[in-house]
């Protein structure tokens, strides 16, 4: 399987996130992608750097205003105080119901709140370059599929599926899966499917395509009544307008077993096959692993091979995009099991 990897991900290295009111080391750390890269390379998959520029497609997925903010966010933060180089900015105010989000505040932290869904997406000096490299990988993956590759694996971080058209959230800044899907549509695909198997609902991906029928979005995830991101991902969210029927959520209770998870995967694959996609984008979160420190599903290493094999049976050119998965040491082998399961499936 072709692997796309850029070392620029390492520049996204915030130190802390908030957890139970305390600052704790970030779960979403650079070693994650290093382990995945090493494991895939170690199993003989060829690695290349993303060769295409995502600038045009990015603007079809995300709002100009948001991209402009994100690209210069770190320099805006430094301009406030040069000592901010060693500090992380966090939002503290959000425009929830009744507040206005149409007027961009002059205050940086207020702008950060405007463009965030949570306080869980810390920025660092290299965040934009890392996120942009992820989008470049997504577009490059679409290009490789167009040229006839059967499958491509984007070893990208930060992840993307919580990022909406104009906001960051859940460690995500640019929605790489959405960028891959949008890029595929510009390369002769008329129908694309995104299958999101991350433990958390891909609220950003859902919202980006909610009123569209060309991109089917299917997600298996922890029930948002108890699991992050809480405010989206329920079973009754089916799409709207032209997109009605083109969004499928399969929420599962916290603690769900592998057997039950694979039953949901069958339902997800059945709906995906009915879409007759020209290409498939997999939002590959590996935080369904039993050893994940922030999630509660019970998949084991061998289950990731089974997942890869099942996805192969859909018979589509497939781009895998790395999302979550925080058991860093096992992340590499779990990801490589998906890739090998797909190739051998
Ligand atoms: C891409 C992705 O997987 N993003 C996940 C963002 C989750 N952020 C909130 C983390 C809340 C952790 N709650 C842990 C409970 C552990 N007992
Ligand atoms: Zn996740």
């Amino acid at each position: 399987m072709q692997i796309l990897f850029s070392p620029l991900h390492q520049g996204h290295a915030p130190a802390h996130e908030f957890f139970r009111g305390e600052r704790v080391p970030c779960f979403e750390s650079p070693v994650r992608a290093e382990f995945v890269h090493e494991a895939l390379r170690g199993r003989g998959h060829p690695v290349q750097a993303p060769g295409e520029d995502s600038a045009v497609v990015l603007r079809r997925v995300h709002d100009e205003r948001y991209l402009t903010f994100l690209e210069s966010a770190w320099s805006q933060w430094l301009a406030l105080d040069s000592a901010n180089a060693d500090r992380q900015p966090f939002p503290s105010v959000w425009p929830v119901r009744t507040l206005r989000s149409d007027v961009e505040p002059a205050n940086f932290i207020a702008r950060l709140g405007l463009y965030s869904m949570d306080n869980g997406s810390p920025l660092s000096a290299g965040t934009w370059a890392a996120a942009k490299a992820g989008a470049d990988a997504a577009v490059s993956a679409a290009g490789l599929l167009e040229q006839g590759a059967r499958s491509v694996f984007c070893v990208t971080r930060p992840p993307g599926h919580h990022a909406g058209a104009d906001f960051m959230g859940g460690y995500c800044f640019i929605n790489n899966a959405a960028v891959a899907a949008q890029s595929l549509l510009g390369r002769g695909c008329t129908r694309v499917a995104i299958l999101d198997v991350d433990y958390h609902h891909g609220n950003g991906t859902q919202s980006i395509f909610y009123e569209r029928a060309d991109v089917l979005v299917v997600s298996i995830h922890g029930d948002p009544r108890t699991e992050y991101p809480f405010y989206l991902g329920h079973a009754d969210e089916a799409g709207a307008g032209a997109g009605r029927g083109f969004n499928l959520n399969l929420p599962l209770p916290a603690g769900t077993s592998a057997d039950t998870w694979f039953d949901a995967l069958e339902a997800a694959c059945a709906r995906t096959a009915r879409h007759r996609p020209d290409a498939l984008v997999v939002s590959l979160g590996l935080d369904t692993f039993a050893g994940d420190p922030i999630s509660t599903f019970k998949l084991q290493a061998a289950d990731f091979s089974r997942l890869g094999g099942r996805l192969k049976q859909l018979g589509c050119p497939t781009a895998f995009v790395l999302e979550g998965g925080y058991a860093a040491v096992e992340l590499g082998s779990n990801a490589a099991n998906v890739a090998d399961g797909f190739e051998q499936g």
Side-chain angles (χ1 to χ4, degrees):
M1 186 174 301
Q2 290 286 339
I3 310 302
L4 290 169
F5 174 79
S6 164
L8 287 171
H9 83 82
Q10 294 163 359
H12 176 63
H16 298 112
E17 66 179 88
F18 285 105
F19 182 63
R20 295 182 182 155
E22 307 283 344
R23 282 153 53 99
V24 302
C26 287
F27 290 99
E28 201 292 289
S29 68
V31 294
R32 298 177 58 249
E34 296 300 315
F35 278 122
V36 174
H37 175 227
E38 280 308 304
L40 288 165
R41 207 168 57 95
R43 293 201 203 173
H45 298 282
V47 181
Q48 57 184 296
E52 293 196 41
D53 183 352
S54 59
V56 173
V57 180
L58 262 184
R59 276 157 184 79
R60 302 203 53 184
V61 168
H62 291 285
D63 285 10
E64 188 74 44
R65 191 176 80 150
Y66 172 60
L67 290 170
T68 300
F69 171 76
L70 199 58
E71 185 163 9
S72 64
W74 190 257
S75 51
Q76 292 179 50
W77 174 238
L78 289 185
L80 293 177
D81 180 345
S82 58
N84 280 351
D86 299 315
R87 299 185 184 125
Q88 286 175 223
F90 283 99
S92 53
V93 193
W94 290 266
V96 297
R97 295 158 300 285
T98 76
L99 301 181
R100 285 179 65 174
S101 51
D102 58 321
V103 184
E104 210 185 40
N107 178 285
F108 173 76
I109 293 299
R111 275 201 301 285
L112 188 57
L114 174 63
Y115 294 122
S116 302
M117 63 178 270
D118 64 5
N119 73 343
S121 312
L123 286 159
S124 72
T127 298
W128 168 256
K132 173 65 165 52
D136 290 349
V139 164
S140 302
L144 290 170
L145 295 183
E146 182 187 24
Q147 289 160 33
R150 187 76 186 71
S151 58
V152 185
F153 194 120
C154 300
V155 184
T156 46
R157 61 170 290 283
H161 73 152
H162 296 302
D166 66 353
F167 61 88
M168 63 189 82
Y171 316 142
C172 303
F173 301 87
I174 297 290
N175 195 310
N176 300 314
V179 168
Q182 188 63 50
S183 182
L184 285 160
L185 290 172
R187 299 172 193 262
C189 294
T190 45
R191 284 180 311 279
V192 175
I194 299 178
L195 176 50
D196 188 326
V197 298
D198 187 278
Y199 178 81
H200 305 95
H201 175 248
N203 61 282
T205 313
Q206 169 170 316
S207 65
I208 288 166
F209 296 113
Y210 206 62
E211 299 192 10
R212 290 171 52 172
D214 51 353
V215 179
L216 171 73
V217 177
V218 178
S219 180
I220 306 169
H221 50 268
D223 190 326
R225 281 179 288 194
T226 62
E227 306 307 294
Y228 184 92
F230 304 116
Y231 309 113
L232 209 65
H234 299 281
D236 65 349
E237 297 156 13
R244 182 136 196 96
F246 293 89
N247 190 84
L248 176 63
N249 284 331
L250 299 164
L252 298 171
T256 287
S257 68
D259 279 353
T260 302
W261 192 90
F262 276 99
D263 289 344
L265 183 66
E266 279 313 305
C269 288
R271 178 65 191 91
T272 301
R274 199 156 62 77
H275 189 57
R276 293 184 296 108
D278 300 308
L280 173 66
V281 177
V282 179
S283 262
L284 184 63
L286 298 151
D287 39 12
T288 51
F289 178 53
D292 194 89
I294 68 169
S295 309
T296 72
F297 289 171
K298 299 282 192 293
L299 275 65
Q300 302 290 343
D303 292 318
F304 293 104
S305 311
R306 181 177 169 193
L307 167 60
R310 181 63 188 88
L311 296 176
K312 175 72 163 288
Q313 287 173 23
L314 288 167
C316 293
T318 300
F320 291 92
V321 177
L322 184 64
E323 302 283 2
Y326 307 100
V329 172
E330 296 95 335
L331 189 67
S333 52
N334 288 342
N337 283 356
V338 175
D340 290 342
F342 187 94
E343 290 210 320
Q344 291 153 20

